[in-house]
Amino acid sequence: MMNYFFADKMNLNRRTLLTSIGAGAIASVGVGAGTARPTATSSSVRSSRVNYTEDVIYQVMTDRFRDGDPSNNPDDDRYDPDCEELTKFCGGDWQGIIDRIEDGYLPDMGVTALWISPPFENIDEVHPENGTSYHAYWPRDFKRPNPYFGDMDDFERLIDVAHDHGIKVVIDFVPNHTSPADEDDPDYVEDGALYDDGEFVASYTDDPNGSFHRNGGIDDFDDYEESIYANLFDLADLNQQAPEIDEYLTESIKLWLDKGVDGIRIDAVRHMSPGWQRTLMSEIFDHRPVFTFGEWFLGEGERDQDYYDFANESGMSQLDFRYGQKLRQVLRDETDGWGGFVEVIEETAAEHDQVLDQVPFLDNHDKARWLEDESDDPRLADMGLAVLLTSRGVPKVYYGTEQYMTGDGDPGSREMMTSFDTGTNAYEIISTLSSLRQSNPALAYGSTRERWVSDDVIFYEREFGENVVLVGVNRSSEEWYEITNLRTALPGGSYPDILEERIDGFELAVNADGTVEDFWLGSETVSVWEHRSPTDEPTLGHVGPTMGEVGHTIQLSGEGFGSAEGAVEFGSTEASIHSWSDTRIDVSVPNVDGGYYDISVTDANSVESNAYEEFEVLTDTQVAVRFVVDEVETEPGENVYLTGNVNELGAWDPDDAVGPFFNEIIEEYPTWYYDVSVPADTDLEFKFIIVDDDGNVTWESGADRQ
C-alpha cells in the first residue's frame, strides 16, 4: 500500500538538494548533479550537422588504421611495430587518418562521416589480461588528447582537413567508466583514476565525493538495474548523479564539440541511467546539436523493449543491432531467410519513432568481422555492403571491409589495416552507393517495401516522393530462381544496374503499369535500379534534432519545399524561419508548452506536406533528479511509476509514466528509486502510482506532491 505524505513546494535546479518529504514513510527527491548551466551557443551553429540520412559513416579504430607519425608511438614494449600482438599499440594516429583523407582514399570511397576512437587521454598501465589501452576505451582525462594519437593541434587539423573534403567527424564518448580497478587493491592497473585537465579528481579506492559506484560487477546482464549501477566487467563505474561527475562529463563533451566535432557515438548506453543521458542530450542540443547515437548491445536473436524505449526517449539514436544481427543471420550465416529480415525491418519501423536516424552495420570492433576467416568468400562482403548501403538508416562501414579483412572477434577483428587498394570491388561498391545515397532521396528518406521474398531471394524498394530505388538479391551460391509477378514503383522503361554488374547485376525492363515480365535471377546476385524525379509537393523526410527547447533551431530536410518561403507549423503554432530552400529549412522551436508535436511544411502555394510525427518540445533544460519513495509494498507483478504535470513526467497519463522504479541496488525494497530527467526551474506536481502486469493502475491517495 502506498501512503501519502506532502512536500513543501520546491523549485528544482542543480543548486538545490531536495531530501525529505513529510514524515513516517518517507518519499524523498534528490537532485543529482552539478550547477545550473547557462544556455550556450547561437542558433547559427545549432543546425549545421544534424541530418546524416544521406551519409555513409566509416568507423576507424585510430590505432589500427595508419601510423602517420612514428614519433608519438610508445617508446617501450607496449608498442608492436608489426602489430602481431593485438593487445599492444600498433602506431595508428590522427596523422595517418589525415594522410588517407588528403590522398583521396577516404573521399573517393564515398566516406562522408568518419567515426574515430575516443580522442581522450587513456591510462598507460598494462592490464594483466587485456593488455594496453590502444583501443582508447579506458579514459583517464577526458579533457586532454590521447598523446599516442597526437596532440590537440593534430586533432584540430584532422577536423579541418576532414571538413575541407566534405567529411564530418564523429568521436566516441565513454561516460560510463574510466579504467579497470579493484576495490580491494589500489595498485590494480591505475585504480580507475580520473583527472580533470591534469588535476586528480578521484580513483576507485580514493573517492571522497562518491564519483564512482561500488556495487560489484554485473552478474546478470538481463537485469536492467544491475546493468546500470554495477560495474561493466572490471571497469570503474562513474556515478553520473554525483554533481562533480555530471558537471565534468558535460564540460568535457562541450570542449570537444567546440573543436568542431560533428557527431558523437556514446559507448555503453545500456549501462548508464537513461534519465541522466537524456539530460546530457539536452545539454548537447543546447550547446551545439550534432547527430548522436548510442551503443546498446544486443546479441543474435535478442530483442529488448528497453532498447527501443531508450532510442525513442533519450534524444539519441542507436547503433542498429537488431538490423545488424539479423542481416548476419540471413545473408552471411544463412540461419534465417529473407522473411526474417523483412520482419525485423517492419518491427524496427514500428518500434522506432524515427527509424531513419538509426545506424545499421555489418560488424564493428566488438564483433567478429563480416568475413571471419580467409576461407570466407569475398562476394559475401560485396553483397552485404550492397544491402547495407541501400537500407534505411545511416549505414556504418567498419574499416578494412573494403579490403576484405577478416577477424574472429576482439581482438581478432582489430588488426592493422592491411592495404589501401582503391580497386577492390568492395571499395567501388561503397563509392557508387554512397554517391547514390546523396543523389537519390529515396535512400535517404524513403520507406521500405518488400516486393518479392523467399528464403534466398528478396526484392525491396525504397520510395520517397517521385524517387525510387529497387534492389534485388539472391544469396544462394548455387540456385537460380524464376521471379514471377514482380511489381515496382519504377516508371515504365529500362533501368541499368547502378552497380555496373559488379555483383552480376543486369538491366531491368519495367512495363508502363509497373509490372515486370518473368525472369531468372542468378546465384549470388545483387542489382540496384533507380529512378529520380523532382518532387513538386513539399515532402518531409527528416527533422533533427528529434527534441529541443523553445528557441532551439531545428533542421527540416526533404524535397519540394520550393524556393519561395512558406510556413512551418508545430501542431497549429507557426515557427520562425531562419532559412528556406527546396530541400532544407531551418526554423526555431516556437513558444509552445512541453509535449509532442507534429511538424508540417506549407509551401508558398499553400500546399501542405506530410507530417513529421511526435517531435518533442522540452519544457525547459533538463536536469537529472533521483526520486525515492519509501515503504511501498507491492504484490508480484506490480511496479512503482511516477507521473506528473509536465510532459517529462507523462502529463498525468499512466501510459506515459516514468519507470518502472528500481528497488535492489541504490535502495532496497520496499524503498523504490529512479533517476528522472525533469525540467529545471519548473514547479512540479506529481504522484507515485502502482501498475500491475495487466495495466491496472493504483493512484497514490491525497493531494498532489509538489
Side-chain angles (χ1 to χ4, degrees), residues 543-584:
V543 172
T546 57
M547 72 179 191
E549 299 171 34
V550 171
H552 281 188
T553 298
I554 305 300
Q555 182 185 114
L556 285 63
S557 303
E559 273 204 327
F561 302 144
S563 57
E565 185 174 303
V568 174
E569 289 184 316
F570 286 61
S572 59
T573 303
E574 193 165 332
S576 297
I577 296 168
H578 299 304
S579 63
W580 185 291
S581 72
D582 189 58
T583 59
R584 171 174 164 173

Side-chain angles (χ1 to χ4, degrees), residues 8-25:
D8 291 335
K9 187 174 181 180
M10 300 181 190
N11 218 343
L12 299 187
N13 61 60
R14 290 181 184 267
R15 295 190 185 278
T16 308
L17 177 64
L18 310 182
T19 53
S20 65
I21 297 181

